[in-house]
Amino acid sequence: MGSKKLFQEISEALIDMDDDIVEDLCNESLKLSIPAEETITEGLLVGMNRVGELYEEEEYFLPEVMICSDTLNIGLDILKPHIKTDHTDEPIKIVMGVVEGDTHDIGKNLVKIMSEASNIETYDLGKDVPLDKFIETAEEVNADFICMSTLMTTTMSGMERVIKMLEERNLRDKYKVMIGGGPISQKFADSIGADAYTEDANEAVKKIKELVVAV
């Protein structure tokens, strides 16, 4: 079986909540010497992204999403020990959360899964996060990135407010600010002065690593 076909079957099995197939296919990918991180990004996370879409389309509801998350974790438990990591003196640290007023956190949770799988030190503030909390936590843990998401247009302005608060406190140059979510675009990111915008979890982690290398 080619890797592309294998990834597709992993994705479909996750969407179908089939623990046994996901377990078998993830083990098979290791036997085929497919890099674990590739199986995660191209198989498991593609499937989970689709689950998020089904939730937004109201074809799946919270119980289905939770079961799919459990299936995802079965695959991650198999693959994560085989991820090849970059050995650096200092780990990348990110503070992440859904901005105040929004409780939609599936996208944020996918970024968390992927960042942790990539050995990024991740501080998850959850959903409906008070804007001050992003900055307070970043200062406490000496983070490199502040990552914010939202699925509501009414809460997008909170992202700009966090950036302005950083400026007011003379902290803007200390952190890279990354934003994402359904209504967010590169145009919006540029307009509020964010450092990065990505459409999905896979791209988010790639962008974080790119920005670290660029510093």
Side-chain angles (χ1 to χ4, degrees), residues 6 26 32 39 44 52 67 83 118 190 200:
L6 182 66
C26 287
L32 294 172
T39 304
L44 292 174
I67 294 170
I83 291 176
S118 300
D190 292 340
D200 57 42

Side-chain angles (χ1 to χ4, degrees), residues 95-112 124-129 131 134 146-153 155-159 162 177-184 188 192 196-200 204:
V95 169
M96 66 185 308
V98 181
V99 295
E100 189 170 16
D102 191 352
T103 59
H104 299 85
D105 63 353
I106 290 179
K108 183 270 297 176
N109 290 341
L110 291 176
V111 175
K112 177 185 178 182
D124 180 13
L125 303 179
K127 54 193 175 183
D128 192 17
V129 180
L131 304 182
F134 286 101
I146 294 175
C147 304
M148 298 177 283
S149 70
T150 186
L151 274 178
M152 300 170 61
T153 56
T155 54
M156 291 167 61
S157 61
M159 297 174 167
V162 170
V177 178
M178 175 180 288
I179 63 173
I184 308 302
F188 176 74
I192 67 171
Y197 154 75
T198 59
E199 292 185 0
D200 57 42

Side-chain angles (χ1 to χ4, degrees), residues 2-67:
S3 59
K4 186 174 181 180
K5 176 67 172 175
L6 182 66
F7 297 151
Q8 182 181 348
E9 291 192 4
I10 289 173
S11 175
E12 290 172 354
L14 189 150
I15 295 166
D16 292 338
M17 299 168 264
D18 196 320
D19 295 353
D20 291 338
I21 292 180
V22 167
E23 181 177 355
D24 289 345
L25 292 174
C26 287
N27 281 315
E28 180 66 19
S29 74
L30 294 175
K31 290 178 184 176
L32 294 172
S33 299
I34 297 171
E37 53 268 42
E38 189 175 343
T39 304
I40 291 172
T41 58
E42 301 299 327
L44 292 174
L45 288 187
V46 168
M48 202 63 199
N49 280 328
R50 180 57 186 150
V51 171
E53 292 172 357
L54 290 170
Y55 177 75
E56 295 303 319
E57 294 164 5
E58 297 187 349
E59 291 187 38
Y60 273 19
F61 297 94
L62 193 55
E64 288 86 357
V65 173
M66 292 178 69
I67 294 170

Side-chain angles (χ1 to χ4, degrees), residues 72-165:
L72 170 71
N73 285 327
I74 287 171
L76 288 174
D77 286 345
I78 294 167
L79 297 167
K80 283 173 67 174
H82 299 274
I83 291 176
K84 295 178 181 178
T85 60
D86 297 324
H87 297 288
T88 57
D89 293 334
E90 294 292 334
I92 302 169
K93 296 181 183 180
I94 67 173
V95 169
M96 66 185 308
V98 181
V99 295
E100 189 170 16
D102 191 352
T103 59
H104 299 85
D105 63 353
I106 290 179
K108 183 270 297 176
N109 290 341
L110 291 176
V111 175
K112 177 185 178 182
I113 289 165
M114 191 58 201
S115 63
E116 289 181 339
S118 300
N119 288 305
I120 292 171
E121 198 168 315
T122 304
Y123 297 85
D124 180 13
L125 303 179
K127 54 193 175 183
D128 192 17
V129 180
L131 304 182
D132 273 336
K133 187 68 174 175
F134 286 101
I135 300 173
E136 291 170 2
T137 305
E139 287 285 277
E140 287 171 7
V141 304
N142 195 27
D144 302 293
F145 289 80
I146 294 175
C147 304
M148 298 177 283
S149 70
T150 186
L151 274 178
M152 300 170 61
T153 56
T154 54
T155 54
M156 291 167 61
S157 61
M159 297 174 167
E160 182 175 15
R161 181 61 192 141
V162 170
I163 291 174
K164 289 188 180 300
M165 289 162 61

Side-chain angles (χ1 to χ4, degrees), residues 195-213:
D195 296 292
Y197 154 75
T198 59
E199 292 185 0
D200 57 42
N202 300 345
E203 289 301 316
V205 172
K206 290 178 185 176
K207 179 61 71 172
I208 286 170
K209 292 186 174 182
E210 286 175 10
L211 289 173
V212 168
V213 171

